[in-house]
Amino acid sequence: MPRPLGPPAPSPRAPLALISSAVAASALWPSAATAATAAESPGAGGAEFAQIAIATTGATVLTLVLLVLGFGHRSGKVPILGAIGRFAERQSGLPPWAALPSAFAGGSLLVAVFGMYWDIALHIDQGRDAGPLANPAHYFILFGLFGIFSAGWLAIVLPEKGERPGASAIRITKDWYAPLGGVLICACGAFALIGFPLDDVWHRLFGQDVTLWGPTHLMLIGGASMTLIGIAALTVEALRFNAANPSRRPELAYATYMRAIASTGGFMLGLSTFQAEFDFGVPQFRFVLEPVMLMLAAGVGLVAVRIWAGKGAAIGAALFFLLIRGLLALAVGPGLGETTPVMPLYVVEAIVVELVALRVATSKPLPFALWCGLGIGTFGLAAEWGWSHLVAPIPFPETLVGSGVPFGIAAAFSGALVGAWIGARIKEVPHPEDRPLRIGAVVGAIGIAALIAIGLPKPVEPGTSATVQLTDVVAPADTPAAGGRAVQAVVTLSPPKAADEAKWLTVTAWQGDGFVVDHLEKVSQGVYRTTQPIPVHDDWKALIRLHVGRGLAAVPIFLPADAAIKAPETPALAQFSRPFVADHTVLQREQRPAAATITLLAYLVVGGIAFALLVLLVWGLHRLSVTGRKPTGTPHDADGAAEPRVTSTPEATRAASVPI
């Protein structure tokens, strides 16, 4: 887990196993021989064996409970799941296999995202923790992600023997059909949980990758975020199931509408977690990627929900996002006393989508997506730009216009195209087959991949250095720098024009029980000074950060000695000259090199697992749409089994949903 920044890296090294045809989580950490190596670098290269043993025991117990409840329900010997499922059905109007799992998954997601933001703030303010089980935020993430996996498992086992939850259900055994949404939720939860063991292996191989965008950290975030697609699919299956069975009490219209808004607002919440380094003020990647991520989240989420749920849904999803993110910020910042993250706005983008829908019908998703992409990429991007100057620790600068605007517009179009494809496939009444829309979604997906690939490289031009003069000052008691040595700095750059086109030139101090981002004030050509006291004592790490062109560079002012990684102190001398080096070598000094073959293999493993999940999600959404509009006379389903004839009418859907 990210130490010090990003989702936690608790010790659970838990490969999840597929048990009997259903998926159940089994958290299995490394062997004693492998784990014992953690003692060589405590807190910086993997979990200690004692904590691995504790976490393994806990995960094993929880997994056994899941298996007993699930298979006990299938056999009729353990009635508790059936009773709880029927209670959830009475409250929501959805069948038990959708009502209970969707509520459980939603609650688990909130627990996990709270833990993630708290964990990031803890690592920014305090650095590495004493161990994965010593950080309270890790427990919320672990239980939240395990809860997501459990929700998928519940959806898989809750259908009664012989009951088929609609035409899109997956056949497991002769008389056991699992809802497609449950399988997708379970897969997303498994993907996220697999990130824990891989993360621990990653740290043992490469040291700590102190960034939210470490490959295994992205697995944790991505798995949780994609869960919302599974929840949406499960909801659609349940609504179709109710429509096909007139004897069932249908879900109230407002409840269906609110469920769509909450699901898509939650999806945007998940997508926005990728921006967390920018929200907290410690971005470790090029600034151009922030407008890209903002526009992608708006394009995908708001376009999808407007097509799915109808009038006003885009604004509802944006407001739901603001509510939850606002509560998270208040809980982590003022509530727990840690650094408070800012958040995107998305309201203007939502208004744009609603206005486009007044002129372009959502029944024509491709032109709707294109017009939304244009509006989001212009008016929406301008609104987020202005919003950053009101709240962001590092607001969008004028020097970002040349790259940020074209990248942001391209991201808005790409996100809108993908969002339109998703929205058209999660409708209760499926959208007709639309080859141009499918091509548009492929173009959008390629565009997203290209934008990220272009934006990731951050080469540093050699030859830039800084001469720094430090003056000791007394920091006010109510500032982060209070309680030890604090300094003001005058920084002279060489060459003097090195920062003329900078996207940021700051002094960042963190991990000393607080956090400081100070934008340097220009005194004269090439000469800058700090505007507030900078702490340079105890565990604080203080550095000058410069982002020019595509490069991110840094000069350390003060770094404490770190025995865990055998790093000496970099002293805060009264005057010194130091060259700018690659930013990540200072921010992520816990990292260590590895053989090129091992590095390539590690990235291929993580990338292959991620690609497999994306393929599964795309296949699942395609199946959800195709089985909902399958014409009469289709002889076989996707599993190759004979299937009743299905049309898009309730009567035909009912024929496909009767017990087998």
Side-chain angles (χ1 to χ4, degrees):
M1 242 14 330
R3 301 184 203 126
L5 179 63
S11 58
R13 313 189 59 214
L16 304 185
L18 296 177
I19 301 180
S20 298
S21 297
V23 187
S26 178
L28 303 176
W29 276 261
S31 66
T34 303
T37 63
E40 298 175 5
S41 55
E48 295 180 359
F49 177 65
Q51 296 195 21
I52 291 172
I54 293 170
T56 300
T57 301
T60 301
V61 170
L62 290 175
T63 300
L64 290 175
V65 169
L66 273 184
L67 293 176
V68 169
L69 290 175
F71 288 115
H73 173 78
R74 297 298 308 171
S75 67
K77 297 178 180 178
V78 180
I80 184 171
L81 282 187
I84 298 174
R86 288 188 293 273
F87 172 79
E89 179 183 23
R90 290 193 296 271
Q91 305 309 309
S92 70
L94 297 180
W97 46 262
L100 177 59
S102 60
F104 199 75
S108 298
L109 278 169
L110 290 177
V111 170
V113 75
F114 165 72
M116 191 205 78
Y117 277 98
W118 186 13
D119 182 64
I120 295 174
L122 281 172
H123 288 312
I124 288 175
D125 292 347
Q126 300 178 19
R128 294 195 304 268
D129 45 51
L133 300 185
N135 182 332
H138 291 183
Y139 293 92
F140 286 89
I141 298 177
L142 280 169
F143 282 105
L145 294 182
F146 197 86
I148 292 169
F149 181 89
S150 302
W153 170 250
L154 292 176
I156 289 172
V157 300
L158 272 171
E160 299 297 333
K161 184 174 294 188
E163 177 186 21
R164 182 171 186 178
S168 58
I170 306 297
R171 186 173 65 179
I172 295 177
T173 64
K174 183 178 180 180
D175 59 356
W176 181 2
Y177 284 85
L180 173 65
V183 174
L184 297 181
I185 293 171
C186 205
C188 290
F191 176 76
L193 285 172
I194 288 172
F196 283 114
L198 290 181
D199 189 68
D200 198 67
V201 171
W202 199 275
H203 293 331
R204 294 176 192 280
L205 291 174
F206 309 115
Q208 297 290 339
D209 46 351
V210 187
T211 171
L212 190 68
W213 286 16
T216 51
H217 305 161
L218 293 178
M219 289 183 65
L220 302 171
I221 300 170
S225 301
M226 296 302 107
T227 300
L228 275 304
I229 293 179
I231 294 176
L234 188 65
T235 300
V236 171
E237 288 180 290
L239 295 176
R240 291 178 182 172
F241 185 82
N242 281 354
N245 293 274
S247 61
R248 294 190 55 80
R249 175 171 64 90
E251 186 179 42
L252 296 177
Y254 87 90
T256 302
Y257 184 75
M258 293 305 298
R259 189 186 298 275
I261 287 175
S263 294
T264 315
F267 187 45
M268 292 178 64
L269 183 69
L271 292 175
S272 76
T273 57
F274 293 102
Q275 304 150 205
E277 286 190 357
F278 292 92
D279 293 342
F280 276 97
V282 198
Q284 299 190 45
F285 291 86
R286 290 170 55 192
F287 215 154
V288 71
L289 290 174
E290 184 174 15
V292 166
M293 291 184 291
L294 288 170
M295 295 298 96
L296 284 177
V300 174
L302 296 175
V303 172
V305 74
R306 188 58 179 81
I307 293 174
W308 179 19
K311 187 176 181 179
I315 293 177
L319 294 177
F320 180 87
F321 165 84
L322 289 176
L323 173 65
I324 301 302
R325 272 297 303 270
L327 292 174
L328 285 171
L330 291 174
V332 170
L336 295 170
E338 307 295 342
T339 295
T340 303
V342 302
M343 56 188 174
L345 195 58
Y346 291 141
V347 172
V348 173
E349 293 93 311
I351 294 173
V352 165
V353 170
E354 294 293 345
L355 290 176
V356 170
L358 295 178
R359 301 300 301 270
V360 182
T362 57
S363 59
K364 299 177 180 178
L366 182 58
F368 177 72
L370 293 174
W371 280 107
C372 285
L374 178 62
I376 290 171
T378 51
F379 295 105
L381 181 58
E384 297 297 341
W385 204 290
W387 177 248
S388 76
H389 285 268
L390 295 177
V391 301
I394 306 179
F396 289 9
E398 292 181 5
T399 52
L400 186 61
V401 171
S403 56
V405 170
F407 272 63
I409 293 174
F413 275 108
S414 298
L417 288 170
V418 173
W421 183 84
I422 293 174
R425 271 150 184 75
I426 57 177
K427 291 179 68 68
E428 182 181 355
V429 178
H431 184 76
E433 180 64 26
D434 190 339
R435 188 168 181 268
L437 177 62
R438 186 168 65 247
I439 294 173
V442 172
V443 171
I446 293 173
I448 292 171
L451 288 169
I452 294 174
I454 295 171
L456 281 177
K458 43 182 181 177
V460 177
E461 293 293 333
T464 304
S465 63
T467 298
V468 182
Q469 291 181 316
L470 302 180
T471 302
D472 285 32
V473 296
V474 177
D478 60 347
T479 62
R485 185 186 175 199
V487 298
Q488 293 278 13
V490 175
V491 180
T492 303
L493 299 181
S494 177
K497 295 184 178 181
D500 282 1
E501 298 296 322
K503 296 178 177 66
W504 67 62
L505 176 62
T506 65
V507 169
T508 296
W510 66 336
Q511 299 178 354
D513 198 17
F515 179 58
V516 175
V517 175
D518 184 29
H519 296 267
L520 295 184
E521 179 181 72
K522 188 172 184 178
V523 177
S524 61
Q525 183 64 51
V527 181
Y528 301 83
R529 65 186 176 197
T530 55
T531 64
Q532 59 181 302
I534 305 300
V536 288
H537 61 88
D538 297 331
D539 293 329
W540 281 95
K541 301 176 180 69
L543 59 153
I544 303 166
R545 304 190 65 205
L546 175 63
H547 180 9
V548 175
R550 296 189 302 153
L552 275 66
V555 167
I557 296 175
F558 172 75
L559 299 174
D562 192 335
I565 58 174
K566 298 181 175 63
E569 176 184 298
T570 300
L573 304 175
Q575 181 171 334
F576 60 86
S577 293
R578 292 170 185 160
F580 276 92
V581 296
D583 186 85
H584 74 273
T585 62
V586 183
L587 286 171
Q588 302 181 43
R589 65 176 185 158
E590 290 90 343
Q591 280 192 316
R592 56 176 178 261
T597 303
I598 294 177
T599 301
L600 177 62
L601 181 61
Y603 275 95
L604 287 176
V605 168
V606 173
I609 297 173
F611 183 74
L613 177 67
L614 289 175
V615 170
L616 176 65
L617 290 171
V618 170
W619 170 83
L621 289 175
H622 176 71
R623 179 183 176 91
L624 183 71
S625 180
V626 169
T627 54
R629 63 169 182 261
K630 191 176 295 184
T632 301
T634 301
H636 297 285
D637 65 10
D639 299 316
E643 182 182 7
R645 294 183 176 186
V646 181
T647 69
S648 58
T649 64
E651 292 76 18
T653 306
R654 180 165 64 252
S657 304
V658 296
I660 296 176

